[in-house]
Amino acid sequence: MNGRRAADAGVPGGRTAVRGDLLSCYTAAVAVLAEARGLSHRAVLGGQVFLGVRRDGTRCEVVHQHTPLTGDGETFALPLVRRGAADAEEAGRAVEAAARRDGAVIVTGSTDRLPWLAGAAPAPHWFAVTHRDGRTAVEDVFTWSDDRGDFGPCRAPADAYALGPLAAAPPPPDPAHRTRERLALGGTGTGTGAGTDPAARLGLPYQWLELSAAGDPPGTGAAVPPAAVPPAAVSPAAAADVLRRMLHRTAAPPDPGPGWLTGRAAVEALAELLAEAGRTPEVLAVQSDLWVAARGRALFRQVLAAEAAALLGPAAAGLGDWLEERVLPLWSGVVRAVQYNALRIRRGHAPQQGMARELRRLGAFEDELRDRLRDVLAPVAPAGGRTTSGR
């Protein structure tokens, strides 16, 4: 498969460019699907900042939660269901058909089976398959760099025959990945394969996530309507309503359940982990989560300076300036330090000190961000009415 950089591929009219350097692979794929359905990914993903941490000794689960994508949230509707197939040929046909119908579908693959990520460490990886202007293509906008090289983005035409093998879906390798997937998607993740719970893994080797069709009964297979359903246009007022709701969620985040820490307490838990286990491979387990947190705050800063400023006035842009001047440089510094020390650990060297200290400095800013955002939102009550969807 010969891909080209997504940045060179252009952005179709009416869509907002998805910057894969400001998202995780989970949210990058969701962003492409959202834009294909006429829903602003910047309002949904850029309008919410959340960090949850749960520790059990040296093991640590970290999640960056966004509104569940099961269609029953209070902010928008993007009802995803998990599908599966027994063989690559069946999977390829179903993925291509779903992309034709909905404009995009999310494939749950693995880095070691994706040709455009050759050389990357094996790990679960999400990417989008899109269909527009009569052409089906892989659209993986996610980008990252590590000591193995620079990876992504990729946009490349693909047919059903090529798509099938890419949907080989390994189970999440550890509790941290399973939790991240559950809270990224919504649902409990404890089911035995019900299609309506997108986080519940199916007992099939090839899997993907698509939008549920009207009247689609729970647990059905990969039946696909023959005709494409064009996305509905979402008005600027509706997009602003979604953003307002997401900002209120950031100011008053949900409780993820027993044992979970959020805000300053979550960051301090990560700092304690780095202080206690900084000389062991455990530091590697939180490396990617730290730069996902940094990316999320950078995207949030952009939304504050643009869409939120248009919605709420100069105070939102001022909050974005505060983030850029005081907070983002610290996050970038922590990410660089952890990446460097992870490399040192892999090569058998002792890590440099100071990571935990810098991360603790960031903890206070997490709570201050919420306080400042509440001040910005104080004159604006959460909007009522119906959820917004491109479907």
Side-chain angles (χ1 to χ4, degrees):
M1 179 180 294
N2 295 318
R4 60 173 175 152
R5 295 185 66 84
D8 299 332
V11 179
R15 300 187 187 181
T16 304
V18 178
R19 286 189 53 179
D21 61 327
L22 297 179
L23 295 163
S24 67
C25 78
Y26 296 95
T27 51
V30 169
V32 172
L33 175 60
E35 290 292 338
R37 301 307 301 169
L39 179 63
S40 168
H41 81 280
R42 286 171 63 90
V44 173
L45 303 177
Q48 185 181 26
V49 174
F50 179 89
L51 178 64
V53 172
R54 181 167 63 180
R55 280 196 62 184
D56 181 11
T58 57
R59 298 189 68 87
C60 187
E61 297 174 72
V62 185
V63 296
H64 310 272
Q65 181 180 355
H66 301 289
T67 298
L69 303 177
T70 48
D72 55 1
E74 298 177 352
T75 53
F76 65 93
L78 193 65
L80 288 176
V81 293
R82 186 179 291 272
R83 302 296 192 205
D87 58 65
E89 183 177 355
E90 179 187 357
R93 289 197 304 267
V95 168
E96 183 181 46
R100 287 177 176 272
R101 183 194 69 218
D102 295 323
V105 61
I106 297 173
V107 174
T108 58
S110 180
T111 53
D112 57 338
R113 301 190 181 209
L114 305 178
W116 64 93
L117 298 180
H125 185 77
W126 292 6
F127 62 93
V129 172
T130 60
H131 184 85
R132 55 177 175 262
D133 300 326
R135 301 182 67 188
T136 303
V138 166
E139 191 165 339
D140 185 1
V141 301
F142 179 59
T143 67
W144 84 97
S145 299
D146 57 26
D147 57 298
R148 293 172 179 259
D150 300 325
F151 299 98
C154 170
R155 175 166 171 76
D159 57 17
Y161 178 80
L163 289 172
L166 305 181
D174 53 45
H177 277 85
R178 289 194 292 272
T179 299
R180 186 182 301 122
E181 183 169 285
R182 174 174 65 86
L183 290 182
L185 288 169
T188 64
T190 59
T192 57
T196 51
D197 183 351
R201 286 277 169 156
L202 303 174
L204 294 167
Y206 300 89
Q207 298 183 29
W208 62 95
L209 299 165
E210 64 183 60
L211 293 175
S212 61
D216 193 20
T220 55
V224 178
V229 179
V234 176
S235 69
D241 177 63
V242 172
L243 176 58
R244 183 184 298 110
R245 292 171 180 267
M246 301 309 291
L247 291 171
H248 278 277
R249 287 180 66 89
T250 293
D255 180 0
W260 286 96
L261 303 172
T262 61
R264 180 173 186 167
V267 176
E268 290 182 346
L270 292 176
E272 291 173 5
L273 177 67
L274 292 180
E276 297 169 10
R279 295 177 180 272
T280 72
E282 274 77 19
V283 70
L284 306 181
V286 299
Q287 176 186 351
S288 62
D289 286 298
L290 289 171
W291 60 250
V292 167
R295 287 178 170 209
R297 282 141 188 81
L299 178 59
F300 188 62
R301 181 263 179 274
Q302 289 194 353
V303 170
L304 287 172
E307 292 92 340
L311 176 66
L312 301 172
L319 178 56
D321 292 341
W322 172 81
L323 264 177
E324 184 171 23
E325 294 169 5
R326 299 291 306 280
V327 181
L328 297 185
L330 283 176
W331 272 108
S332 297
V334 166
V335 169
R336 287 194 300 269
V338 173
Q339 289 176 330
Y340 176 70
N341 279 343
L343 178 59
R344 288 181 62 86
I345 290 170
R346 279 195 291 266
R347 293 178 176 176
H349 303 303
Q352 291 185 341
Q353 301 304 305
M355 295 182 298
R357 181 182 64 249
E358 291 301 299
L359 197 52
R360 287 191 183 97
R361 291 179 60 194
L362 279 168
F365 285 127
E366 289 292 292
D367 286 350
E368 186 176 351
L369 171 59
R370 290 181 186 171
D371 292 340
R372 287 173 175 263
L373 181 58
R374 280 193 285 267
D375 290 341
V376 172
L377 293 171
V380 185
R386 299 174 59 186
T387 58
T388 300
S389 173
R391 189 169 175 80

